[in-house]
Amino acid sequence: MWAEILSGRPILADQTIENPILNSPFKEPGRHFRFSDTGITNDIVERRRTSSYFIPIPQAKKRGGQKSFETEWTQDRVEENVHINRIRARVKLWRDGDYSGVTPITRRLLGHWTDPARENKLFFCQVEALETAIYLAECADKYGDGWMHDFLREANDSSNPGLPRVALKMATGSGKTVVMAMLIAWQCLNKIASAQDKRFGDAFLLVAPGITIRDRLRVLLPNDAENYYRQRDIVPADLVGQLGQAKILIVNFHGFGLREKLKAPKLTKKFIDPYADHLFRETPDEMVRRVCKELGNKKSIVVINDEAHHCYRRKPDEEAEKLKGDDRKEAETRNEEARMWISGIEAIQSKLGVRSIYDLSATPFFLRGSGYAEGTLFPWVVSDFSLIDAIESGIVKIPRVPVSDDQMTGEMPTYRDLWFRIREDLPKKGRGTDGITGEPKLPAALQGAIHSLYSDYEKSYRRWAEGDARQRGQTPPVFIVVCNNTNVSKLVYDYVSGWEKTVKKGDEEVQVLVPGALAIFSNVEDRRWLHRPNTILVDSQQLESGESMTPEFKKIAALEIEEFKAEYRVRYPGRSAEELTDEDILREVMNTVGKPGKLGEGIRCVVSVSMLTEGWDANTVTHILGVRAFGTQLLCEQVVGRGLRRMSYAPDDDGMFAPEYAEIYGVPFSFIPTSGAGAEPPKPKSITRVRALESRRELEITFPRLVGYRYDIPQERLTATFGGDSRVVLSTQDVPTKVENAPIVGASNIHTLDDLRAKRDQEVAFLLAKHTLETYFVDDEGCGRPDLFPQVLIIAKRWLAECVVRKDNAFNGLLLLHERAGEAAAKIYRGIITGATGEPRLKPILRPFDPIGSTRYVDFDTTKPTYTTRDDKCHVSHVVADTESWEQKMAQTLEDMDEVVAYVKNQGLGFTIPYTVDGNERAYVPDFIAQMDDGGNFALHLILEVTGKKDRDKEAKTATANDLWVPAVTNHLGMGRWSFLEIRDPWNAKTEILEHLASLR
């Protein structure tokens, strides 16, 4: 059984649901499970779930031998998020209407993101978040939806006066960082295209809640080697370079704190002037100058808040909620951090101006102690993709918590409300106090919880160790424990990983190492500490804030730190481990858990003091144990969220993901019950990681990336010869030039294309000549030929007079419509090529910013059958098979041929051949590239296509490859020798290849 959070609120499953994944992650959800008055059912509703929230009621009560619980969140307590659903409906209508009313740049980006031929497909929820932001900025006022801006203004005035905040709610693991990249690209490219458009900006301040996220967000810097704009294909290749004009600054919100300018004792400050705090501490303006220094003189900043639920102002004039103990301390800390964050943005608004603020969060709710009712949704949220939506789309793991046990005491299963059963038996001393020593003795309930959850972890670990995942480079599953203070974490850490026992040997006391109670997590082997620990202990709050760890914590983690420094020296021989702080080392280990080849790759268990914060995104987490109080539902979801990121994003043949699970103990979610791990899970489809191997770097194949073709004309004097294929017919059959709009009653209105009709022929010829010159007359370095414009203009005028046929009511201005202008320029250019004296030389039009592709960038997962490649023939680890036999046979044939130096299957490679069919531009993806030794001075690159069914499209592809692509690339010096061959029979491929090579000699 399973259950989830809907809009951040609990739901209890009362039904058995075999597979909760109903929808493809790449399409708008069209199905969901129905809720009844007793909870979720396994009835499927054939439409999208509406955005809703829940009204709280009393906690669950035991009934019926503890086999089930009184449902806390039921259909009769659901309240709809009215504004979000209204906005969602309007955005869908606009989407179905082909995104009318946007700028040309926005239209191009939307087309790029939603292109069904994309290899790196975006989740629907990512695209919808951008669609919502775009509609609000570009279209709402045009289409009678000004109420959206009124609603946002009212929402912000009540909570963030003067700040233009817009919140996008996206479930943990649904790809918020990708959405940030999309926001930056949309804003920046539009600003570059139209500098005066005040809707857009090119200066960005990205605010993170901690160092982990701040460092992770470097992928949003266009100059970063792993930037998302290229890696996730966020921006068309020819626009990527423009992003370098953006100013992007990433900061930790702690930087908004007003720092001391002069250090002095409190008594001295009071003596000098008790009211002159500005003499010793920064003013808000000084803080802005320090934080935003890298933005230069930029004004009207676009702010993007990651994990924005940390940024709010406590509700004024609201009586404080009565909280006690740790709950009160945590609420005070949260409110102070939230005040620092929002005060910093207000100071930036005051000094530099803020154009817009985009908040991203899985849980944009007010917390206990904020002055608002716990779980109140930020009123400026405009889109919602909740955790239950993400689960039903397969985007995240499915969290499971205990629903029953055989102890039969208390209102909940023991391992669900664990903290209330053990808190009196745990050490109370925390950070900054004396530690505990000796044998780690755990309360019985905690010891039982650890062993019970570990027994399930052990099964996951064995499946990893004994299956093929380990051989494919996947790291082990990870078990995390979240503790409330340093002493409790040390107690748990020693118990699971091992500890030092003092024993008497004669008159002397000696230290003996005792292995951990959990063998897979033990750091002790053969009475020695392992060189590479299996378990680590971290203080996540101190590591995230950037402050130094306390001496007490350093003392208990000293051995662990030294072991990792030793490993750092081995892994990175040219670097100095001594220059790194202890915090740097532990942060690097924590942030690389689950990452092959990194310092944290072998970690199996993480014991954390405080919360494991947002941004810690190890996708290998399978088990979570909470050993602390959880005062708010948000804290529960934050901890569980650390285990929700999927391990595999390889869809099946229907575009669906297989379910993955995370097992949770000690986090009191009364809304995510499960009967436990149950029977052995069915074996999932084998997932293969297909990637370029560094050990085979010498087999790398590079290739040119083309967007089109052009001709070098040998003479400076241009002439043109026009024939029958140069004609263009303009007709109102293609584009109506007069439209009458009429109501049911009343006056009608006539719409015409008078602005285009008014264009004089000379102006039309001028614009067509300009388009022809900019498209086709560019040299190998990308430089234009403005000196040829007068000649091209004369030819364009002649073409306009001789080759354009105008039917009734048509006029030459229709040629300035985008598609017609491209067609006209192509016909003018073909006339010039035909009329040239001498032999025109075909050349490629290369992508402006990434003209060369390479096998080195291949890295993806697949569930399809694969063929493991030979390490002396292929840079990439596998050939992916779309059929049962021919890909494997081709790979085997190529590997057996001495003439083949290297080869690669063209999947995940990005190698395409641009071609045209029926006037539509398309991209052809050949099957293989093979680098051949044919006896020439340089290797021959042979493009191989295994021919299937013959049709017009296939004929256009192969003709373009032979007649345009190969000659153009061959004529471009420096790109090597290329040829193209259709293989008609994979079982006769060797003979066909050798015959082709012989024909080239």
Side-chain angles (χ1 to χ4, degrees):
M1 290 187 288
W2 63 281
E4 311 77 21
I5 306 168
L6 176 59
S7 300
R9 282 309 191 174
I11 306 162
L12 180 64
D14 200 31
Q15 302 275 340
T16 299
I17 298 174
E18 296 298 330
N19 184 353
I21 299 176
L22 297 175
N23 303 298
S24 166
F26 309 114
K27 298 178 181 178
E28 182 177 12
R31 312 169 78 203
H32 69 273
F33 289 106
R34 182 179 64 84
F35 284 94
S36 71
D37 290 344
T38 57
I40 197 166
T41 72
N42 56 7
D43 297 336
I44 297 174
V45 180
E46 298 293 335
R47 58 178 173 80
R48 186 175 182 181
R49 185 188 303 282
T50 58
S51 174
S52 305
Y53 66 95
F54 287 79
I55 303 171
I57 64 167
Q59 292 198 0
K61 297 179 181 179
K62 183 173 70 174
R63 70 181 183 198
Q66 204 172 333
K67 291 183 179 179
S68 60
F69 293 87
E70 183 176 341
T71 303
E72 292 184 336
W73 308 101
T74 54
Q75 179 61 39
D76 61 327
R77 299 181 179 92
V78 174
E79 291 290 337
E80 181 184 350
N81 290 320
V82 176
H83 285 106
I84 293 175
N85 288 320
R86 283 185 69 192
I87 293 172
R88 179 186 287 177
R90 294 296 292 168
V91 170
K92 176 176 172 55
L93 193 65
W94 169 69
R95 179 193 308 128
D96 293 342
D98 198 29
Y99 301 123
S100 60
V102 297
T103 69
I105 285 290
T106 300
R107 175 169 292 281
R108 188 164 179 208
L109 288 173
L110 286 166
H112 184 67
W113 297 334
T114 58
D115 182 358
R118 281 179 67 99
E119 282 197 24
N120 198 341
K121 293 185 185 300
L122 297 171
F123 292 153
F124 168 80
C125 60
Q126 295 169 331
V127 175
E128 184 182 50
L130 260 292
E131 290 173 337
T132 305
I134 289 168
Y135 188 80
L136 284 166
E138 298 190 37
C139 301
D141 289 334
K142 295 179 183 178
Y143 299 128
D145 288 326
W147 62 267
M148 295 181 184
H149 296 297
D150 296 337
F151 145 69
L152 280 171
R153 193 177 304 110
E154 182 180 334
N156 280 307
D157 285 347
S158 67
S159 305
N160 316 289
L163 295 182
R165 298 181 74 177
V166 172
L168 307 172
K169 181 173 177 288
M170 297 180 65
T172 297
S174 60
K176 292 188 288 293
T177 307
V178 170
V179 170
M180 291 184 211
M182 297 164 76
L183 283 168
I184 291 170
W186 163 59
Q187 282 275 328
C188 175
L189 294 176
N190 271 294
K191 189 65 175 178
I192 292 170
S194 181
Q196 303 306 314
D197 196 329
K198 294 184 178 180
R199 295 174 296 178
F200 307 110
D202 58 1
F204 301 89
L205 179 68
L206 277 56
V207 189
I211 291 176
T212 296
I213 291 183
R214 185 196 68 186
D215 293 345
R216 189 192 71 192
L217 293 182
R218 287 192 57 82
V219 295
L220 299 176
L221 300 176
N223 60 354
D224 187 82
E226 299 180 351
N227 76 79
Y228 272 13
Y229 310 106
R230 291 181 187 273
Q231 191 182 80
R232 302 297 178 92
D233 194 19
I234 300 301
V235 176
D238 59 309
L239 297 179
V240 170
Q242 295 185 28
L243 293 175
Q245 299 179 44
K247 289 280 189 179
I248 302 175
L249 178 61
I250 307 172
V251 300
N252 191 344
F253 84 87
H254 299 84
F256 291 154
L258 303 181
R259 297 179 179 176
E260 282 194 351
K261 296 188 291 185
L262 297 172
K263 292 188 178 294
K266 289 184 179 179
L267 188 61
T268 303
K269 295 178 182 178
K270 187 175 181 180
F271 177 78
I272 294 174
D273 187 342
Y275 302 103
D277 188 57
H278 65 279
L279 296 176
F280 300 95
R281 189 176 297 277
E282 286 178 322
T283 64
D285 279 2
E286 289 172 328
M287 178 275 293
V288 172
R289 280 198 295 272
R290 168 175 54 82
V291 171
C292 299
K293 182 179 179 181
E294 292 181 29
L295 293 178
N297 59 358
K298 291 287 186 180
K299 303 286 185 181
S300 297
I301 310 301
V302 177
V303 177
I304 301 178
N305 291 321
D306 196 7
E307 307 296 352
H309 52 270
H310 293 290
C311 178
Y312 61 87
R313 189 170 295 286
R314 193 182 185 283
K315 191 173 184 180
D317 304 324
E318 191 71 21
E319 185 176 343
E321 186 179 355
K322 303 298 182 184
L323 300 176
K324 298 179 181 178
D326 289 342
D327 288 347
R328 178 178 59 80
K329 292 178 182 177
E330 287 185 358
E332 290 173 352
T333 300
R334 286 196 303 268
N335 286 333
E336 173 56 25
E337 291 179 343
R339 183 203 62 76
M340 182 187 299
W341 191 327
I342 197 166
S343 295
I345 295 177
E346 288 170 342
I348 293 168
Q349 164 78 305
S350 175
K351 185 166 182 62
L352 302 179
V354 170
R355 187 179 304 279
S356 51
I357 302 173
Y358 293 101
D359 292 337
L360 286 98
S361 173
T363 52
F365 303 102
F366 289 107
L367 299 168
R368 292 175 67 187
S370 65
Y372 297 85
E374 181 192 359
T376 300
L377 188 69
F378 284 179
W380 55 93
V381 175
V382 296
S383 73
D384 175 20
F385 198 81
S386 65
L387 183 55
I388 192 169
D389 294 326
I391 289 173
E392 289 175 338
S393 296
I395 290 174
V396 297
K397 289 176 183 167
I398 302 157
R400 303 194 287 197
V401 303
V403 66
S404 64
D405 62 30
D406 57 3
Q407 188 174 39
M408 306 288 290
T409 63
E411 294 183 350
M412 290 188 178
T414 300
Y415 300 150
R416 187 134 128 228
D417 62 350
L418 181 64
W419 176 250
F420 299 102
R421 301 171 187 260
I422 62 175
R423 59 184 176 182
E424 299 302 323
D425 299 319
L426 290 172
K428 302 297 188 295
K429 296 176 182 180
R431 188 181 290 115
T433 62
D434 293 334
I436 57 175
T437 57
E439 181 180 357
K441 296 179 180 179
L442 305 181
L446 175 56
Q447 190 175 8
I450 288 176
H451 282 269
S452 176
L453 195 57
Y454 174 78
S455 68
D456 188 75
Y457 171 89
E458 194 172 22
K459 296 175 185 176
S460 298
Y461 180 83
R462 297 300 175 205
R463 284 194 294 270
W464 168 80
E466 296 167 7
D468 60 353
R470 188 172 194 171
Q471 283 69 40
R472 288 187 280 107
Q474 290 185 12
T475 57
V478 176
F479 185 116
I480 62 177
V481 186
V482 180
C483 302
N484 66 320
N485 67 45
T486 303
N487 283 341
V488 171
S489 67
K490 182 65 164 67
L491 188 70
V492 173
Y493 177 71
D494 285 353
Y495 182 79
V496 301
S497 68
W499 55 287
E500 288 185 330
K501 180 179 182 180
T502 302
V503 297
K504 285 195 174 182
K505 194 173 183 179
D507 294 333
E508 297 181 1
E509 289 187 346
V510 296
Q511 301 296 316
V512 177
L513 295 183
V514 180
L518 309 179
I520 298 174
F521 299 156
S522 179
N523 289 340
V524 177
E525 188 176 280
D526 297 331
R527 296 193 177 184
R528 294 184 180 183
W529 293 111
L530 291 173
H531 178 60
R532 294 183 177 180
N534 295 315
T535 299
I536 60 170
L537 174 65
V538 295
D539 187 328
S540 54
Q541 184 177 28
Q542 289 179 336
L543 292 180
E544 283 302 296
S545 66
E547 63 184 272
S548 297
M549 292 184 295
T550 61
E552 292 79 9
F553 185 83
K554 284 189 178 183
K555 183 178 179 181
I556 64 175
L559 179 64
E560 177 187 9
I561 292 169
E562 285 307 312
E563 291 290 353
F564 279 112
K565 280 188 175 181
E567 185 179 352
Y568 186 89
R569 295 184 190 99
V570 173
R571 282 180 179 265
Y572 310 110
R575 306 180 194 176
S576 172
E578 308 312 318
E579 294 179 3
L580 296 172
T581 65
D582 295 342
E583 292 83 0
D584 290 335
I585 286 287
L586 280 186
R587 191 178 295 117
E588 172 68 12
V589 174
M590 186 176 77
N591 291 345
T592 57
V593 170
K595 293 180 172 57
K598 301 292 185 180
L599 208 55
E601 69 172 347
I603 299 302
R604 304 166 187 174
C605 180
V606 178
V607 181
S608 168
V609 187
S610 303
M611 307 293 290
L612 272 170
T613 55
E614 306 96 342
W616 191 75
D617 290 324
N619 64 358
T620 50
V621 174
T622 54
H623 295 73
I624 298 175
L625 174 63
V627 188
R628 56 155 291 152
F630 290 89
T632 71
Q633 297 293 342
L634 178 57
L635 296 183
C636 291
E637 186 176 348
Q638 285 178 340
V639 169
V640 170
R642 299 316 97 216
L644 295 186
R645 194 165 296 274
R646 289 184 62 91
M647 294 181 67
S648 170
Y649 291 93
D652 62 18
D653 294 339
D654 298 322
M656 307 278 279
F657 288 154
E660 296 181 5
Y661 294 91
E663 310 296 335
I664 319 292
Y665 279 15
V667 183
F669 278 14
S670 55
F671 41 83
I672 310 180
T674 176
S675 56
E680 185 82 5
K683 186 175 181 179
K685 282 189 176 182
S686 178
I687 297 166
T688 303
R689 184 183 179 192
V690 181
R691 58 176 175 148
L693 300 175
E694 186 64 26
S695 59
R696 306 185 190 177
R697 184 67 180 271
E698 71 280 1
L699 300 174
E700 177 184 6
I701 294 176
T702 59
F703 53 88
R705 308 181 76 172
L706 276 62
V707 295
Y709 315 93
R710 65 180 180 84
Y711 286 90
D712 269 355
I713 299 173
Q715 85 269 17
E716 294 294 317
R717 181 77 178 166
L718 301 183
T719 60
T721 300
F722 298 122
D725 61 351
S726 303
R727 294 175 70 247
V728 163
V729 178
L730 300 178
S731 169
T732 57
Q733 182 179 1
D734 302 317
V735 179
T737 61
K738 181 179 180 181
V739 179
E740 179 179 5
N741 274 17
I744 297 174
V745 294
S748 62
N749 191 25
I750 304 297
H751 298 180
T752 68
L753 292 177
D754 284 347
D755 58 329
L756 291 180
R757 188 186 295 273
K759 299 286 186 185
R760 291 174 299 142
D761 287 353
Q762 178 140 348
E763 185 178 0
V764 173
F766 181 93
L767 293 172
L768 292 179
K770 179 175 180 290
H771 189 25
T772 304
L773 195 75
E774 291 175 347
T775 304
Y776 297 104
F777 290 90
V778 181
D779 64 20
D780 291 348
E781 282 70 45
C783 300
R785 293 289 309 275
D787 56 301
L788 296 178
F789 181 77
Q791 297 183 66
V792 177
L793 178 57
I794 292 170
I795 294 171
K797 288 179 180 179
R798 188 179 137 219
W799 177 83
L800 200 61
E802 297 176 6
C803 301
V804 178
V805 177
R806 293 167 293 280
K807 293 189 177 181
D808 293 349
N809 295 321
F811 44 88
N812 286 341
L814 293 175
L815 291 167
L816 299 182
L817 296 172
H818 179 72
E819 290 183 6
R820 285 302 186 120
E823 181 185 7
K827 289 181 180 292
I828 292 170
Y829 182 63
R830 280 200 292 270
I832 294 172
I833 297 303
T834 304
T837 59
E839 188 66 30
R841 192 172 175 83
L842 188 65
K843 289 292 190 75
I845 302 175
L846 298 172
R847 289 192 183 188
F849 299 104
D850 56 346
I852 303 298
S854 170
T855 52
R856 79 172 70 172
Y857 304 116
V858 174
D859 192 344
F860 62 92
D861 290 341
T862 184
T863 57
K864 293 180 179 179
T866 58
Y867 172 89
T868 303
T869 59
R870 265 174 44 182
D871 58 10
D872 63 336
K873 288 289 187 179
C874 189
H875 189 191
V876 176
S877 58
H878 299 80
V879 165
V880 179
D882 295 309
T883 67
E884 294 182 358
S885 57
W886 74 256
E887 289 97 344
Q888 298 92 321
K889 180 59 181 175
M890 275 299 303
Q892 185 184 68
T893 297
L894 293 172
E895 290 182 346
D896 289 342
M897 291 182 66
D898 294 337
E899 293 82 0
V900 175
V901 178
Y903 79 98
V904 66
K905 171 81 186 302
N906 186 21
Q907 185 152 356
L909 192 61
F911 173 51
T912 61
I913 293 178
Y915 74 106
T916 302
V917 63
D918 295 333
N920 298 313
E921 294 182 1
R922 297 181 183 176
Y924 161 40
V925 181
D927 294 320
F928 285 86
I929 302 176
Q931 197 176 74
M932 312 294 296
D933 180 1
D934 65 341
N937 293 331
F938 301 98
L940 172 72
H941 293 81
L942 183 58
I943 303 168
L944 296 171
E945 173 70 18
V946 180
T947 299
K949 179 183 176 182
K950 273 287 187 183
D951 55 27
R952 289 180 63 246
D953 198 52
K954 172 58 74 77
E955 290 173 359
K957 292 176 181 177
T958 56
T960 301
N962 269 318
D963 301 339
L964 294 178
W965 196 95
V966 169
V969 171
T970 302
N971 290 336
H972 192 290
L973 299 180
M975 290 188 171
R977 300 164 59 224
W978 289 81
S979 187
F980 175 84
L981 173 64
E982 279 188 90
I983 300 293
R984 303 185 185 281
D985 180 0
W987 280 262
N988 194 41
K990 179 177 179 179
T991 299
E992 293 186 34
I993 291 172
L994 292 176
E995 289 176 352
H996 181 74
L997 295 180
S999 71
L1000 297 176
R1001 294 192 183 109

